[in-house]
């Protein structure tokens, strides 16, 4: 059994592993290196902080650093960046305060997470173009949309570095009226809601034909209509060609056309001179002026450290691991957004940058390192989100994914109600379900409604884990009461309709 466990990365997977290893083996030395200042936080809460539903960004921190050190006995080293790993010598090289030093390990976890991808277009380095993946950038963004002075939003100790400072500098000097969100994925849609709530003119540009592509077209179309009704201007099937800076914009190269109106936008306020800031984006459908751009085109695994150490990556581009989170080196583990997951329906390795999978894998690695080998577990792709006052949920495979995986998909879409028809407050919910024609096995479901979608999807996820057929799902003994659902719950009704399609 090893006695020194080093963890690179202090968020979901890293802190879960460190905490579990220390609890299971209190005598073990556990050291966590985090290059920033924030550890153990919920980045998924940033859109709600920006919107104003969460008052203080510190509320997004799950465990205070002091407690991790004083109560849990973890050697937490913030503002310490691991810049190299030597698997042969079993050491890591660390940079801190301008100096380098080496630390030995017996077991090592790479929990380096993921970084926000940027559009493949010139101009993403302009001032005012951002992707929010950490709390400092979220704090600066909140300062912007609320029009708060810097004195009212004190900087975090690491505020002078990275996107946070770039964004803060831009916002101090720029009067922003229009925000363009590039990418209609989960964070992009949630941030669009936050911007609308703050009174901005919000445009969302998505290269694909639908918003929220992982939720499937039937659900996505319902969400798109709701976004438009809520004041978001959608530009679907539209590719970003480049982002235009202030210097070029002042040369009068044209103006944007707003969706559905055909009229030109008004020129925005000029930012301070001295740096080139974003003023518009050029798309294959025209130009959209903007004083700020938020990108949500995906998440890329942070694998540079692993690659430089000769640790194998999988076909997905994330770090390849076995069922216990071990890499090709049995003393080096990987967990979280930087590591591959196994999809339980297809058996294939996938990238799935969601919090539960990261926390669960980290905890499993911590137990394994402490002497109780524990599988990190697979995923079925369950995700939920809020789009204004709609709940959106999905799990499993959609029709296209099922076909690509070798299944013969059969699907149906039902629209039903969330409570008994005679009970006040009921609303519509749309459920799309997919099954395999050969085996009758349920493969996936997505749904959207004003209530009930976010928690109903968990029942479907459980059915997918158990490998239930559509007929078996239709026989599940769900609870019923008029305030919570109709006699035929929407999940059961979708299973019944899908069963008819399979006959």
């Amino acid at each position: 059994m090893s006695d020194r466990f080093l963890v690179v990365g202090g968020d979901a997977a890293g802190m879960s592993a460190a905490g579990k290893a220390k609890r299971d083996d209190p005598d073990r030395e556990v050291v966590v290196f985090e290059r920033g200042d924030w550890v153990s936080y919920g980045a998924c809460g940033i859109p709600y902080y920006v919107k104003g539903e969460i008052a203080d960004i510190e509320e997004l921190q799950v465990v205070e650093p002091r407690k991790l050190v004083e109560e849990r006995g973890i050697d937490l080293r913030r503002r310490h960046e691991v810049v190299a790993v030597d698997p042969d010598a079993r050491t890591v090289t660390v940079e801190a305060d301008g100096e380098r030093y080496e630390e030995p390990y017996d077991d090592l976890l790479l929990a380096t997470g993921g970084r926000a991808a940027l559009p493949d277009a010139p101009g993403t380095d302009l001032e005012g173009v951002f992707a929010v993946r950490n709390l400092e950038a979220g704090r600066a963004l909140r300062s912007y949309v609320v029009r708060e002075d810097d004195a009212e939003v004190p900087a975090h100790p690491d505020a002078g570095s990275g996107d946070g400072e770039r964004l803060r500098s831009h916002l101090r000097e720029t009067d922003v009226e229009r925000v363009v969100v590039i990418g209609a994925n989960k964070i992009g849609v949630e941030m669009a809601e936050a911007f609308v709530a703050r009174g901005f003119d919000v445009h969302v540009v998505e290269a694909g034909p639908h918003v929220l592509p992982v939720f499937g077209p039937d659900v996505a179309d319902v969400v798109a209509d709701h976004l438009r009704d809520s004041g978001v201007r959608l530009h679907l099937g539209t590719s970003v060609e480049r982002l235009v800076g202030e210097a070029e914009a002042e040369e009068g190269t044209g103006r944007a056309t707003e969706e559905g109106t055909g009229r030109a936008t008004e020129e925005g306020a000029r930012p301070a001179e001295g740096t080139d800031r974003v003023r518009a984006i050029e798309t294959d459908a025209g130009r959209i002026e903007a004083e700020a751009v938020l990108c949500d085109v995906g998440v890329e695994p942070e694998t540079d450290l692993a690659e430089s150490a000769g640790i194998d990556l999988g076909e997905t581009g994330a770090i390849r691991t076995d069922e216990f989170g071990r890499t090709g080196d049995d003393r080096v583990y990987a967990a979280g957004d930087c590591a591959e997951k196994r999809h339980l329906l297809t058996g294939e390795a996938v990238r799935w940058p969601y919090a539960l999978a990261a926390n669960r894998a980290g905890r499993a690695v911590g137990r394994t390192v402490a002497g109780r080998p524990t599988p990190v577990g697979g995923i079925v792709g369950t995700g939920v989100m809020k789009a204004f006052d709609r709940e959106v949920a999905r799990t499993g495979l959609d029709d296209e994914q099922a076909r690509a995986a070798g299944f013969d998909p059969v699907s149906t879409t039902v629209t039903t109600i969330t409570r008994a028809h005679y009970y006040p407050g009921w609303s519509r919910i749309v459920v799309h379900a997919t099954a395999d024609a050969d085996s009758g096995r349920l493969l996936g479901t997505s749904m959207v409604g004003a209530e009930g979608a976010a928690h109903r999807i968990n029942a479907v996820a459980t059915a997918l884990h158990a490998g239930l057929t559509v007929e078996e799902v239709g026989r599940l003994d769900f609870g019923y009461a008029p305030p919570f659902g109709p006699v035929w719950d929407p999940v059961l009704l979708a299973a019944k309709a899908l069963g008819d399609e399979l006959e």
Side-chain angles (χ1 to χ4, degrees), residues 279-299:
R279 289 299 304 274
I281 65 169
E282 293 281 1
T283 76
D284 58 359
R287 180 171 172 173
I288 307 171
E289 293 185 2
E291 293 81 33
V293 174
L294 179 72
C295 302
D296 179 33
V297 297
V299 177

Side-chain angles (χ1 to χ4, degrees), residues 18-78:
K20 187 58 179 172
K22 193 67 177 177
R23 283 193 298 272
D24 283 12
D25 187 0
D27 294 330
R28 181 178 302 275
E29 183 180 4
V30 178
V31 184
V32 177
F33 298 100
E34 169 53 49
R35 65 185 176 188
D37 195 81
W38 295 95
V39 295
S40 187
Y41 61 87
C44 296
I46 291 175
Y48 311 110
Y49 165 74
V50 171
K51 184 179 179 181
E53 294 177 328
I54 297 171
D56 196 320
I57 201 164
E58 276 76 15
E59 294 179 34
L60 299 182
Q61 193 153 47
V62 180
V63 183
E64 295 178 6
R66 177 187 59 81
K67 291 184 178 180
L68 294 170
V69 175
E70 297 177 3
E71 299 179 11
R72 302 190 180 183
I74 295 171
D75 183 354
L76 175 61
R77 304 183 191 181
R78 293 179 290 167

Side-chain angles (χ1 to χ4, degrees), residues 127 136 140 158-170 172:
E127 292 290 338
E136 181 51 40
D158 69 344
S161 62
D163 288 344
E165 179 56 28
R166 288 180 60 239
L167 182 55
R168 184 179 295 276
S169 173
H170 171 66
R172 272 199 298 260

Side-chain angles (χ1 to χ4, degrees), residues 405-438:
F407 295 104
D408 182 10
V410 174
S411 63
T412 191
T413 301
V414 300
T415 301
T416 183
I417 55 178
T418 58
R419 310 181 189 186
H421 72 276
Y422 52 80
Y423 192 88
W426 64 265
S427 59
R428 299 288 180 186
I429 185 170
V430 176
V431 182
H432 179 89
T434 302
D436 177 39
D438 295 332

Side-chain angles (χ1 to χ4, degrees), residues 352-421:
W352 186 252
Y354 280 66
L356 177 59
N359 278 278
R360 186 177 59 200
R363 186 176 188 274
V365 169
R367 292 185 68 181
T368 297
V369 167
R372 290 193 293 168
T374 303
V376 298
I379 61 104
V380 293
T382 307
V384 298
M385 63 168 293
K386 176 177 173 292
F388 290 85
D389 60 354
R390 293 293 184 270
E391 297 179 12
V392 193
R394 61 97 62 206
T395 189
L397 308 174
D398 61 23
D399 296 10
E400 183 178 342
Q401 292 169 330
R403 191 172 293 108
F407 295 104
D408 182 10
V410 174
S411 63
T412 191
T413 301
V414 300
T415 301
T416 183
I417 55 178
T418 58
R419 310 181 189 186
H421 72 276

